[in-house]
Amino acid sequence: MSADNQQERLETGNFLAGFVEGEGSFNISLRKKSDYKVNWQVVLSFNVSQRDPTLLYLLHQTVKCGIIKKRRDGIYSLDVTTPLDVINKVIPFFQEFPLRSFDKRHNFDLFVKAANLMKNGEHKNQIGLRKILEIRENINLGKGRKRKYSIYDVFPEKSLESSETIR
């Protein structure tokens, strides 16, 4: 790779990381699945939404994964939910081009912890699922956060152990 190409790659990567700072999110969601051993599917997702899809196409081309779709409200979104793409493409991109704000970096770090647990298959047992859901409780804090299912839907309050026991 020539020095010019390397410089352009660095500029593009840093630019896209900055774009994601403002417009992107890292999420951990749940789907009820009766055919799963633990009755729940953990879904890691990275998404970015924007009215103009130009930068979404650039990001898609750069990370080489995800789907760009147009929502009913006219907003475009790039969504990556395939676990191997999240683990092998999205996470390494943001490790190479770090997010700079405390909140976004914190959310990304939690997302990486959950992804590593999933990579090791821990989402397939009750203890690992609980660890992931405890991580999930601390990601994307704020008034706009909505969850269809909470940790209490998976582990009713009376059966929750203290987090010290789990560690």
Side-chain angles (χ1 to χ4, degrees), residues 35-49:
D35 57 330
Y36 278 48
K37 182 180 174 185
V38 293
N39 294 319
W40 296 93
Q41 177 187 22
V42 177
V43 179
L44 298 174
S45 66
F46 163 68
N47 57 38
V48 186
S49 300

Side-chain angles (χ1 to χ4, degrees), residues 111-139:
F111 186 76
V112 170
K113 281 183 185 180
N116 285 332
L117 289 168
M118 288 185 69
K119 184 177 177 181
N120 294 330
E122 294 196 44
H123 60 295
K124 297 177 182 178
N125 65 64
Q126 295 289 322
I127 294 169
L129 179 60
R130 185 175 293 175
K131 287 178 187 177
I132 292 168
L133 294 183
E134 287 183 347
I135 291 167
R136 180 178 178 253
E137 288 297 308
N138 293 298
I139 199 169

Side-chain angles (χ1 to χ4, degrees), residues 91-150:
I91 289 172
F93 176 82
F94 290 104
Q95 288 171 330
E96 183 176 358
F97 302 102
L99 299 157
R100 303 199 186 254
S101 70
F102 175 81
D103 287 344
K104 194 69 72 169
R105 183 73 203 184
H106 176 72
N107 288 335
F108 175 73
D109 290 343
L110 292 172
F111 186 76
V112 170
K113 281 183 185 180
N116 285 332
L117 289 168
M118 288 185 69
K119 184 177 177 181
N120 294 330
E122 294 196 44
H123 60 295
K124 297 177 182 178
N125 65 64
Q126 295 289 322
I127 294 169
L129 179 60
R130 185 175 293 175
K131 287 178 187 177
I132 292 168
L133 294 183
E134 287 183 347
I135 291 167
R136 180 178 178 253
E137 288 297 308
N138 293 298
I139 199 169
N140 299 324
L141 298 174
K143 59 183 174 181
R145 182 174 96 167
K146 294 179 186 172
R147 301 214 190 276
K148 185 173 182 179
Y149 300 109
S150 79

Side-chain angles (χ1 to χ4, degrees), residues 4 6-7 17-18 24 29 49 59 64 67 70 83 88 112 125 130 138 144 149 151 155 164:
D4 287 344
Q6 191 172 17
Q7 182 62 32
S29 59
S49 300
L59 183 57
K64 297 176 176 53
I67 297 169
K70 186 175 183 180
N88 296 326
V112 170
N125 65 64
R130 185 175 293 175
N138 293 298
Y149 300 109
I151 192 170
F155 299 102
E164 292 304 313

